[in-house]
Amino acid sequence: MGRSRIDAIAQQFRFGPRLIAAVAREGGDLWQACREKASRELEDLAQRIIPRFGWEDIGLRPDVIHDLNAAIAQVRHAARVYGTYGMARKYPRGRGVSVLLSGPSGTGKTMAAEALARETGLDLYRIDLSAVVSKYIGETEKNLRRLFEAAEDGGAILLFDEADALFGKRSEVKDSHDRYANIEISYLLQRMESYRGLAVLTTNLKSNLDSAFLRRLRFVVQFP
């Protein structure tokens, strides 16, 4: 296995020495073995989607495909940029790639997320909001922490469908419910910024998203 492939695996999967040794003993393709080992942690928090679509199936405009390919390139070359070129020392946070796909229903946003997974060779998980969002104070943050940590370990792509349900605008504080809702959004913004993997978000209406969150996105791609 070439050095560049090893660097890519080290960048994409956050495994300790013990787990790496266990995966190596199993033999076979190391990238695939890492994916399978990590996927078990995410099963109870998100729904795994098997990618079925490529660019040729969606019929996107060339400028949209160009932007999505730019996101793929950043994922593929992260090991070189942050490792070989030493940029990790200068950018300890914000090393992930976040992509917002915005447009009306039926324009191919979720299909494009599947194509991104096919192109990068990573597993795609759609977030189950019912399993993450809780009415109990502090539970949503705990669930989000588990979700992001498991995704970072396994190098998975997180898909937030209808992202405005989670990343909506913070409201004026009128009671304790508003205060804790705003705290949840603030925590989510911080966690998205520190997440080092690929996160894909879809929305039918970009204006519904919190402006502070929009500023943290690496790519905003409009689907006509």
Side-chain angles (χ1 to χ4, degrees):
M1 179 181 295
R3 180 67 191 178
S4 60
R5 182 68 166 169
I6 293 173
D7 288 343
I9 291 172
Q11 169 69 28
Q12 200 64 52
F13 303 98
R14 195 178 62 177
F15 289 161
R18 229 176 250 178
L19 189 51
I20 290 173
V23 170
R25 281 196 299 271
E26 292 175 4
D29 181 78
L30 187 56
W31 181 276
Q32 184 61 29
C34 287
R35 286 175 59 183
E36 291 174 0
K37 183 73 72 176
S39 66
R40 299 163 199 163
E41 301 293 324
L42 276 163
E43 296 295 337
D44 61 335
L45 293 169
Q47 174 195 2
R48 183 176 179 180
I49 298 177
I50 306 300
R52 299 165 295 164
F53 301 107
W55 301 139
E56 68 281 359
D57 301 309
I58 311 175
L60 297 173
R61 287 190 337 200
D63 59 318
V64 174
I65 293 179
H66 174 272
D67 290 345
L68 295 176
N69 277 326
I72 291 169
Q74 292 199 10
V75 173
R76 285 177 175 165
H77 297 295
R80 180 183 301 174
V81 172
Y82 292 114
T84 306
Y85 298 162
M87 297 302 287
R89 294 189 298 273
K90 298 183 178 182
Y91 294 95
R93 293 171 62 85
R95 288 163 54 182
V97 179
S98 50
V99 181
L100 176 67
L101 311 180
S102 175
S105 298
T107 49
K109 300 185 297 295
T110 305
M111 293 169 69
E114 294 189 28
L116 284 169
R118 274 182 62 175
E119 292 291 325
T120 56
L122 298 172
D123 291 319
L124 177 66
Y125 284 88
R126 179 191 282 125
I127 309 309
D128 182 359
L129 293 182
S130 65
V132 173
V133 177
S134 173
K135 64 180 180 180
Y136 298 106
I137 294 171
E139 284 300 310
T140 299
E141 291 93 325
K142 287 181 184 178
N143 292 337
L144 287 169
R145 186 180 304 115
R146 285 179 58 210
L147 176 70
F148 279 107
E149 287 178 354
E152 281 182 329
D153 289 344
I157 300 174
L158 293 179
L159 172 61
F160 294 89
D161 245 344
E162 299 181 7
D164 33 321
L166 266 180
F167 299 87
K169 294 179 179 178
R170 281 168 284 195
S171 59
E172 179 185 350
V173 176
K174 296 179 181 178
D175 55 31
S176 60
H177 295 291
D178 294 335
R179 185 179 301 110
Y180 285 113
N182 288 348
I183 289 172
E184 286 178 1
I185 294 173
S186 298
Y187 173 79
L188 188 54
L189 292 175
Q190 295 170 12
R191 199 61 188 85
M192 278 291 296
E193 190 172 25
S194 64
Y195 180 58
R196 69 178 201 171
L198 173 58
V200 180
L201 306 97
T202 72
T203 182
N204 295 340
L205 200 59
K206 186 174 65 174
S207 59
N208 285 344
L209 296 173
D210 191 284
S211 58
F213 170 68
L214 285 172
R215 289 194 297 271
R216 288 168 166 83
L217 293 170
R218 189 77 62 88
F219 295 92
V220 177
V221 184
Q222 185 67 36
F223 278 59

